[in-house]
Amino acid sequence: MIDVDPSLVNWSRAMFAFTAMYHWIFVPLTLGLSFLCAFYETIYLKTGNEQWKTITKFWMTLFGINFAIGVATGIILEFEFGTNWSNYSWMVGDIFGAPLAIEGIFAFFMEASFFAVMFFGWNRVSKGFHCFSTWMVAVGSNLSAVWILVANGWMQNPVGMAFNPEKARFEMESFAEVVFNPIAVSKFTHTSSSGFVMASAFVLTVSCWYLLKRRHIEMAKKSIVVACVFGFVASCFVGFTGDEAAYEVAQKQPMKLAAMEGLYKGERGAGLVAMGIVNDVKSPGDVQDPFFFEVKIPQLLSLLANREFGSFVPGIDDLVWGNEEENIMGVNTMMEKGRYALTDLAAFKEAKKAGNEQAAEAALARFNENQEYMGYGYLDTPEEAVPPVFIVFNSFHLMAVLGSLFPVIFGAFLFFTVKGQITEKRWLLPIGLSTALLGLFAQQAGWVTAEVGRQPWAIQGLMPVKIATTNLSTTAVQVTFAMFAVVFTLLLVAEIFIMLKQISIGPEGH
Amino acid sequence: MIEAPAKIFSFYRDGFRNMTVGKTLWKIIFIKLLVMFAVLKLFFFPNYLKQNFDTDAQRGAHVLEQITRHVN
């Protein structure tokens, strides 16, 4: 048994999850709303119609409020790396250093220059340059997200590096491989486009509120048209990027895909579960049915996972115990290799301490044979490699269902607004009013799928979360968790209050 | 040449002066950063390795110890 206090790991994990989920309330709105502001301002620039300027300034104010409250919430994650995840933080420092530094410098220059022009520059710079600055803020915010997602993508699929056992660090060997990691690329396209959907949903919600209140009707209708075009295109694109992301997961993290689909026994021509109630007491290898009820689309999972009907999609049992027929090595075998790797790493360390270079070299050569399985050596049982299927399955399906609703919602609103009937279709407005909340649920569910689905790994296959944690007292983590919860709940209340007040004032009060 | 910095200065000065909602937002940002860096970071989130070890070699050795301490 690995002697790590599970309550310490879980509290550290809970705090990080809570911080990340809080941070992710603001980020998607920033990513998408910046582009919507750019669209509104471009229309103003092209038409010269002052109403578009009013619209631009109104959404820009809400963008500013969201940005101000959200800014620096991600810094807490960085604090947590140093305090709660020091082993992990040290080991990945060389990989994450460059992307995060680029992100920081980029964000600073963007915010100090174009962001200032966007808010202070009305009537001080030319209309063209102001509009250009708004576009630069939009592009810059989204490029800024690239680097964080590159770091996240690397954790899911560690490439372009080598482990240095002397320094206990993963060292970057190819910056290009890290940046163009297929998981990072699909993560960026999927995440940024889902941010566009979220922001469009937000604009739709606020505009529907005005329509229901019969206030600022022209502004609301104009806002809806642009947001729904953007939202419709983005939500269709999210479908494509989601497909690409799932394909990459199937290739690089098959256990996550099996959990997303509740697939225990792998099969050729596997069907995709369209809906189902997953059996939450089922364990790998037992004889229970994985579902109480399910509706499957035949063959579709094989097609999505491997781009081929009839191809084999491994289930949880195949991955845990292996499947010789399909040439899949089981976690049980990988655990054995991982233990050899760790034993040789420990022998290397001892030989180095004793100054015995010959023994160190021999231990290193043996370690290199099995180092790719290093993380599996920390697992106590093969079943530990299985993420919580109930959570992953449900969050994935919630995201997918909500994701498929958005094109319909945006399409319907666009249709009736262009036809000039939106104010008459009052039954539709409450649906529009709830869209932002649906978007928020979809966003959070997506990240739950991605992050809970890769458990128990902090770095896929190389480092489980329980080894990444700092050896602190659980009480210390509980105290910081409570502090964080209080401070950030207050900030969230402040944001909602200011945002609602500004919406209530309307476009006159920017 | 001297005009450019003065223009930039007045651009930012006037921008900050004429803010409406922005003033409240800056107050929130300031309080947030103060709480984050002067309270949370200082008292609750120390950098464990920086605080407890002086050199990178010591930090590396400590982490290596941590990740191999489970080996029987």
PDB file of all heavy atoms in Angstrom, chain A residues 430-456:
ATOM      1  N   PRO A 430     -38.513  32.941 -22.337  1.00  0.00           N
ATOM      2  CA  PRO A 430     -37.947  32.276 -21.141  1.00  0.00           C
ATOM      3  C   PRO A 430     -36.868  31.250 -21.486  1.00  0.00           C
ATOM      4  O   PRO A 430     -35.937  31.043 -20.713  1.00  0.00           O
ATOM      5  CB  PRO A 430     -39.167  31.592 -20.501  1.00  0.00           C
ATOM      6  CG  PRO A 430     -40.334  32.373 -20.996  1.00  0.00           C
ATOM      7  CD  PRO A 430     -39.972  32.813 -22.379  1.00  0.00           C
ATOM      8  N   ILE A 431     -36.981  30.625 -22.660  1.00  0.00           N
ATOM      9  CA  ILE A 431     -35.935  29.671 -23.084  1.00  0.00           C
ATOM     10  C   ILE A 431     -34.629  30.438 -23.296  1.00  0.00           C
ATOM     11  O   ILE A 431     -33.558  30.033 -22.842  1.00  0.00           O
ATOM     12  CB  ILE A 431     -36.349  28.919 -24.371  1.00  0.00           C
ATOM     13  CG1 ILE A 431     -37.597  28.083 -24.104  1.00  0.00           C
ATOM     14  CG2 ILE A 431     -35.206  28.041 -24.897  1.00  0.00           C
ATOM     15  CD1 ILE A 431     -38.202  27.421 -25.332  1.00  0.00           C
ATOM     16  N   GLY A 432     -34.758  31.581 -23.977  1.00  0.00           N
ATOM     17  CA  GLY A 432     -33.574  32.418 -24.196  1.00  0.00           C
ATOM     18  C   GLY A 432     -32.987  32.898 -22.884  1.00  0.00           C
ATOM     19  O   GLY A 432     -31.764  32.952 -22.704  1.00  0.00           O
ATOM     20  N   LEU A 433     -33.882  33.216 -21.946  1.00  0.00           N
ATOM     21  CA  LEU A 433     -33.442  33.715 -20.638  1.00  0.00           C
ATOM     22  C   LEU A 433     -32.595  32.679 -19.895  1.00  0.00           C
ATOM     23  O   LEU A 433     -31.690  33.016 -19.137  1.00  0.00           O
ATOM     24  CB  LEU A 433     -34.690  34.059 -19.808  1.00  0.00           C
ATOM     25  CG  LEU A 433     -34.510  34.934 -18.581  1.00  0.00           C
ATOM     26  CD1 LEU A 433     -34.020  36.316 -18.963  1.00  0.00           C
ATOM     27  CD2 LEU A 433     -35.831  35.056 -17.820  1.00  0.00           C
ATOM     28  N   SER A 434     -32.895  31.396 -20.121  1.00  0.00           N
ATOM     29  CA  SER A 434     -32.173  30.339 -19.387  1.00  0.00           C
ATOM     30  C   SER A 434     -30.915  29.862 -20.119  1.00  0.00           C
ATOM     31  O   SER A 434     -30.170  29.041 -19.596  1.00  0.00           O
ATOM     32  CB  SER A 434     -33.109  29.147 -19.150  1.00  0.00           C
ATOM     33  OG  SER A 434     -33.462  28.603 -20.406  1.00  0.00           O
ATOM     34  N   THR A 435     -30.675  30.395 -21.311  1.00  0.00           N
ATOM     35  CA  THR A 435     -29.580  29.857 -22.133  1.00  0.00           C
ATOM     36  C   THR A 435     -28.208  30.027 -21.478  1.00  0.00           C
ATOM     37  O   THR A 435     -27.361  29.134 -21.568  1.00  0.00           O
ATOM     38  CB  THR A 435     -29.577  30.517 -23.538  1.00  0.00           C
ATOM     39  OG1 THR A 435     -30.896  30.533 -24.009  1.00  0.00           O
ATOM     40  CG2 THR A 435     -28.734  29.726 -24.520  1.00  0.00           C
ATOM     41  N   ALA A 436     -27.984  31.162 -20.834  1.00  0.00           N
ATOM     42  CA  ALA A 436     -26.653  31.380 -20.217  1.00  0.00           C
ATOM     43  C   ALA A 436     -26.387  30.343 -19.127  1.00  0.00           C
ATOM     44  O   ALA A 436     -25.266  29.838 -18.990  1.00  0.00           O
ATOM     45  CB  ALA A 436     -26.562  32.784 -19.638  1.00  0.00           C
ATOM     46  N   LEU A 437     -27.433  30.031 -18.367  1.00  0.00           N
ATOM     47  CA  LEU A 437     -27.271  29.035 -17.302  1.00  0.00           C
ATOM     48  C   LEU A 437     -26.972  27.654 -17.906  1.00  0.00           C
ATOM     49  O   LEU A 437     -26.100  26.921 -17.406  1.00  0.00           O
ATOM     50  CB  LEU A 437     -28.559  28.981 -16.464  1.00  0.00           C
ATOM     51  CG  LEU A 437     -28.440  28.375 -15.083  1.00  0.00           C
ATOM     52  CD1 LEU A 437     -27.431  29.138 -14.236  1.00  0.00           C
ATOM     53  CD2 LEU A 437     -29.796  28.349 -14.381  1.00  0.00           C
ATOM     54  N   LEU A 438     -27.660  27.336 -19.003  1.00  0.00           N
ATOM     55  CA  LEU A 438     -27.394  26.057 -19.683  1.00  0.00           C
ATOM     56  C   LEU A 438     -25.950  26.028 -20.186  1.00  0.00           C
ATOM     57  O   LEU A 438     -25.257  25.012 -20.096  1.00  0.00           O
ATOM     58  CB  LEU A 438     -28.358  25.852 -20.857  1.00  0.00           C
ATOM     59  CG  LEU A 438     -29.851  25.778 -20.538  1.00  0.00           C
ATOM     60  CD1 LEU A 438     -30.665  25.557 -21.806  1.00  0.00           C
ATOM     61  CD2 LEU A 438     -30.134  24.649 -19.540  1.00  0.00           C
ATOM     62  N   GLY A 439     -25.511  27.177 -20.705  1.00  0.00           N
ATOM     63  CA  GLY A 439     -24.137  27.278 -21.203  1.00  0.00           C
ATOM     64  C   GLY A 439     -23.130  27.054 -20.090  1.00  0.00           C
ATOM     65  O   GLY A 439     -22.131  26.342 -20.255  1.00  0.00           O
ATOM     66  N   LEU A 440     -23.425  27.649 -18.939  1.00  0.00           N
ATOM     67  CA  LEU A 440     -22.527  27.492 -17.788  1.00  0.00           C
ATOM     68  C   LEU A 440     -22.455  26.023 -17.358  1.00  0.00           C
ATOM     69  O   LEU A 440     -21.374  25.488 -17.095  1.00  0.00           O
ATOM     70  CB  LEU A 440     -23.021  28.366 -16.630  1.00  0.00           C
ATOM     71  CG  LEU A 440     -22.111  28.483 -15.424  1.00  0.00           C
ATOM     72  CD1 LEU A 440     -20.795  29.150 -15.793  1.00  0.00           C
ATOM     73  CD2 LEU A 440     -22.790  29.282 -14.325  1.00  0.00           C
ATOM     74  N   PHE A 441     -23.606  25.357 -17.312  1.00  0.00           N
ATOM     75  CA  PHE A 441     -23.628  23.929 -16.943  1.00  0.00           C
ATOM     76  C   PHE A 441     -22.814  23.109 -17.950  1.00  0.00           C
ATOM     77  O   PHE A 441     -22.057  22.212 -17.584  1.00  0.00           O
ATOM     78  CB  PHE A 441     -25.061  23.389 -16.901  1.00  0.00           C
ATOM     79  CG  PHE A 441     -25.855  23.839 -15.703  1.00  0.00           C
ATOM     80  CD1 PHE A 441     -27.229  24.010 -15.777  1.00  0.00           C
ATOM     81  CD2 PHE A 441     -25.233  24.100 -14.489  1.00  0.00           C
ATOM     82  CE1 PHE A 441     -27.971  24.430 -14.673  1.00  0.00           C
ATOM     83  CE2 PHE A 441     -25.958  24.528 -13.388  1.00  0.00           C
ATOM     84  CZ  PHE A 441     -27.323  24.694 -13.486  1.00  0.00           C
ATOM     85  N   ALA A 442     -22.993  23.427 -19.240  1.00  0.00           N
ATOM     86  CA  ALA A 442     -22.272  22.678 -20.277  1.00  0.00           C
ATOM     87  C   ALA A 442     -20.763  22.879 -20.125  1.00  0.00           C
ATOM     88  O   ALA A 442     -19.979  21.928 -20.244  1.00  0.00           O
ATOM     89  CB  ALA A 442     -22.738  23.119 -21.662  1.00  0.00           C
ATOM     90  N   GLN A 443     -20.368  24.123 -19.851  1.00  0.00           N
ATOM     91  CA  GLN A 443     -18.941  24.431 -19.675  1.00  0.00           C
ATOM     92  C   GLN A 443     -18.343  23.624 -18.524  1.00  0.00           C
ATOM     93  O   GLN A 443     -17.301  22.993 -18.653  1.00  0.00           O
ATOM     94  CB  GLN A 443     -18.771  25.923 -19.328  1.00  0.00           C
ATOM     95  CG  GLN A 443     -19.052  26.875 -20.458  1.00  0.00           C
ATOM     96  CD  GLN A 443     -17.917  26.929 -21.448  1.00  0.00           C
ATOM     97  OE1 GLN A 443     -16.771  26.659 -21.113  1.00  0.00           O
ATOM     98  NE2 GLN A 443     -18.217  27.263 -22.679  1.00  0.00           N
ATOM     99  N   GLN A 444     -19.036  23.685 -17.394  1.00  0.00           N
ATOM    100  CA  GLN A 444     -18.506  23.017 -16.201  1.00  0.00           C
ATOM    101  C   GLN A 444     -18.513  21.500 -16.387  1.00  0.00           C
ATOM    102  O   GLN A 444     -17.557  20.811 -16.001  1.00  0.00           O
ATOM    103  CB  GLN A 444     -19.323  23.408 -14.953  1.00  0.00           C
ATOM    104  CG  GLN A 444     -19.303  24.891 -14.637  1.00  0.00           C
ATOM    105  CD  GLN A 444     -17.985  25.371 -14.028  1.00  0.00           C
ATOM    106  OE1 GLN A 444     -17.188  24.587 -13.553  1.00  0.00           O
ATOM    107  NE2 GLN A 444     -17.744  26.671 -14.049  1.00  0.00           N
ATOM    108  N   ALA A 445     -19.579  20.993 -17.002  1.00  0.00           N
ATOM    109  CA  ALA A 445     -19.664  19.541 -17.222  1.00  0.00           C
ATOM    110  C   ALA A 445     -18.536  19.070 -18.136  1.00  0.00           C
ATOM    111  O   ALA A 445     -17.972  17.991 -17.945  1.00  0.00           O
ATOM    112  CB  ALA A 445     -21.024  19.183 -17.824  1.00  0.00           C
ATOM    113  N   GLY A 446     -18.190  19.906 -19.125  1.00  0.00           N
ATOM    114  CA  GLY A 446     -17.099  19.561 -20.042  1.00  0.00           C
ATOM    115  C   GLY A 446     -15.778  19.410 -19.310  1.00  0.00           C
ATOM    116  O   GLY A 446     -15.027  18.450 -19.531  1.00  0.00           O
ATOM    117  N   TRP A 447     -15.509  20.339 -18.405  1.00  0.00           N
ATOM    118  CA  TRP A 447     -14.248  20.265 -17.657  1.00  0.00           C
ATOM    119  C   TRP A 447     -14.254  19.117 -16.647  1.00  0.00           C
ATOM    120  O   TRP A 447     -13.227  18.504 -16.389  1.00  0.00           O
ATOM    121  CB  TRP A 447     -13.931  21.600 -16.974  1.00  0.00           C
ATOM    122  CG  TRP A 447     -13.227  22.517 -17.928  1.00  0.00           C
ATOM    123  CD1 TRP A 447     -13.741  23.634 -18.520  1.00  0.00           C
ATOM    124  CD2 TRP A 447     -11.892  22.376 -18.441  1.00  0.00           C
ATOM    125  NE1 TRP A 447     -12.808  24.185 -19.358  1.00  0.00           N
ATOM    126  CE2 TRP A 447     -11.664  23.437 -19.331  1.00  0.00           C
ATOM    127  CE3 TRP A 447     -10.872  21.449 -18.244  1.00  0.00           C
ATOM    128  CZ2 TRP A 447     -10.465  23.610 -20.013  1.00  0.00           C
ATOM    129  CZ3 TRP A 447      -9.675  21.616 -18.918  1.00  0.00           C
ATOM    130  CH2 TRP A 447      -9.483  22.677 -19.787  1.00  0.00           C
ATOM    131  N   VAL A 448     -15.431  18.842 -16.075  1.00  0.00           N
ATOM    132  CA  VAL A 448     -15.527  17.691 -15.157  1.00  0.00           C
ATOM    133  C   VAL A 448     -15.200  16.409 -15.927  1.00  0.00           C
ATOM    134  O   VAL A 448     -14.436  15.565 -15.455  1.00  0.00           O
ATOM    135  CB  VAL A 448     -16.935  17.619 -14.505  1.00  0.00           C
ATOM    136  CG1 VAL A 448     -17.131  16.295 -13.780  1.00  0.00           C
ATOM    137  CG2 VAL A 448     -17.134  18.773 -13.530  1.00  0.00           C
ATOM    138  N   THR A 449     -15.741  16.299 -17.136  1.00  0.00           N
ATOM    139  CA  THR A 449     -15.442  15.125 -17.967  1.00  0.00           C
ATOM    140  C   THR A 449     -13.936  15.012 -18.212  1.00  0.00           C
ATOM    141  O   THR A 449     -13.342  13.942 -18.035  1.00  0.00           O
ATOM    142  CB  THR A 449     -16.167  15.226 -19.335  1.00  0.00           C
ATOM    143  OG1 THR A 449     -17.542  15.450 -19.099  1.00  0.00           O
ATOM    144  CG2 THR A 449     -15.970  13.972 -20.165  1.00  0.00           C
ATOM    145  N   ALA A 450     -13.343  16.132 -18.621  1.00  0.00           N
ATOM    146  CA  ALA A 450     -11.918  16.112 -18.973  1.00  0.00           C
ATOM    147  C   ALA A 450     -11.029  15.800 -17.775  1.00  0.00           C
ATOM    148  O   ALA A 450     -10.065  15.039 -17.893  1.00  0.00           O
ATOM    149  CB  ALA A 450     -11.526  17.459 -19.583  1.00  0.00           C
ATOM    150  N   GLU A 451     -11.355  16.383 -16.626  1.00  0.00           N
ATOM    151  CA  GLU A 451     -10.443  16.280 -15.483  1.00  0.00           C
ATOM    152  C   GLU A 451     -10.741  15.084 -14.575  1.00  0.00           C
ATOM    153  O   GLU A 451      -9.815  14.426 -14.111  1.00  0.00           O
ATOM    154  CB  GLU A 451     -10.463  17.584 -14.679  1.00  0.00           C
ATOM    155  CG  GLU A 451      -9.976  18.776 -15.487  1.00  0.00           C
ATOM    156  CD  GLU A 451      -8.570  18.575 -16.062  1.00  0.00           C
ATOM    157  OE1 GLU A 451      -7.632  18.388 -15.281  1.00  0.00           O
ATOM    158  OE2 GLU A 451      -8.423  18.599 -17.294  1.00  0.00           O
ATOM    159  N   VAL A 452     -12.013  14.815 -14.313  1.00  0.00           N
ATOM    160  CA  VAL A 452     -12.327  13.629 -13.511  1.00  0.00           C
ATOM    161  C   VAL A 452     -12.027  12.378 -14.348  1.00  0.00           C
ATOM    162  O   VAL A 452     -11.551  11.371 -13.831  1.00  0.00           O
ATOM    163  CB  VAL A 452     -13.803  13.636 -13.033  1.00  0.00           C
ATOM    164  CG1 VAL A 452     -14.131  12.373 -12.244  1.00  0.00           C
ATOM    165  CG2 VAL A 452     -14.074  14.860 -12.170  1.00  0.00           C
ATOM    166  N   GLY A 453     -12.239  12.506 -15.662  1.00  0.00           N
ATOM    167  CA  GLY A 453     -12.013  11.379 -16.562  1.00  0.00           C
ATOM    168  C   GLY A 453     -10.559  10.941 -16.637  1.00  0.00           C
ATOM    169  O   GLY A 453     -10.278   9.831 -17.064  1.00  0.00           O
ATOM    170  N   ARG A 454      -9.636  11.827 -16.279  1.00  0.00           N
ATOM    171  CA  ARG A 454      -8.229  11.415 -16.365  1.00  0.00           C
ATOM    172  C   ARG A 454      -7.685  10.955 -15.013  1.00  0.00           C
ATOM    173  O   ARG A 454      -6.493  10.707 -14.859  1.00  0.00           O
ATOM    174  CB  ARG A 454      -7.377  12.524 -16.929  1.00  0.00           C
ATOM    175  CG  ARG A 454      -7.121  13.678 -15.977  1.00  0.00           C
ATOM    176  CD  ARG A 454      -6.135  14.595 -16.628  1.00  0.00           C
ATOM    177  NE  ARG A 454      -6.203  15.934 -16.115  1.00  0.00           N
ATOM    178  CZ  ARG A 454      -5.220  16.485 -15.409  1.00  0.00           C
ATOM    179  NH1 ARG A 454      -4.164  15.798 -15.108  1.00  0.00           N
ATOM    180  NH2 ARG A 454      -5.329  17.728 -15.014  1.00  0.00           N
ATOM    181  N   GLN A 455      -8.561  10.913 -14.012  1.00  0.00           N
ATOM    182  CA  GLN A 455      -8.109  10.400 -12.718  1.00  0.00           C
ATOM    183  C   GLN A 455      -7.714   8.932 -12.885  1.00  0.00           C
ATOM    184  O   GLN A 455      -8.294   8.244 -13.708  1.00  0.00           O
ATOM    185  CB  GLN A 455      -9.214  10.559 -11.667  1.00  0.00           C
ATOM    186  CG  GLN A 455      -9.579  12.005 -11.393  1.00  0.00           C
ATOM    187  CD  GLN A 455      -8.398  12.821 -10.925  1.00  0.00           C
ATOM    188  OE1 GLN A 455      -7.653  12.409 -10.057  1.00  0.00           O
ATOM    189  NE2 GLN A 455      -8.193  13.996 -11.507  1.00  0.00           N
ATOM    190  N   PRO A 456      -6.746   8.412 -12.201  1.00  0.00           N
ATOM    191  CA  PRO A 456      -6.067   8.989 -11.047  1.00  0.00           C
ATOM    192  C   PRO A 456      -4.827   9.813 -11.406  1.00  0.00           C
ATOM    193  O   PRO A 456      -4.004  10.075 -10.551  1.00  0.00           O
ATOM    194  CB  PRO A 456      -5.626   7.726 -10.301  1.00  0.00           C
ATOM    195  CG  PRO A 456      -5.287   6.772 -11.406  1.00  0.00           C
ATOM    196  CD  PRO A 456      -6.266   7.062 -12.509  1.00  0.00           C
TER     197      PRO A 456
END
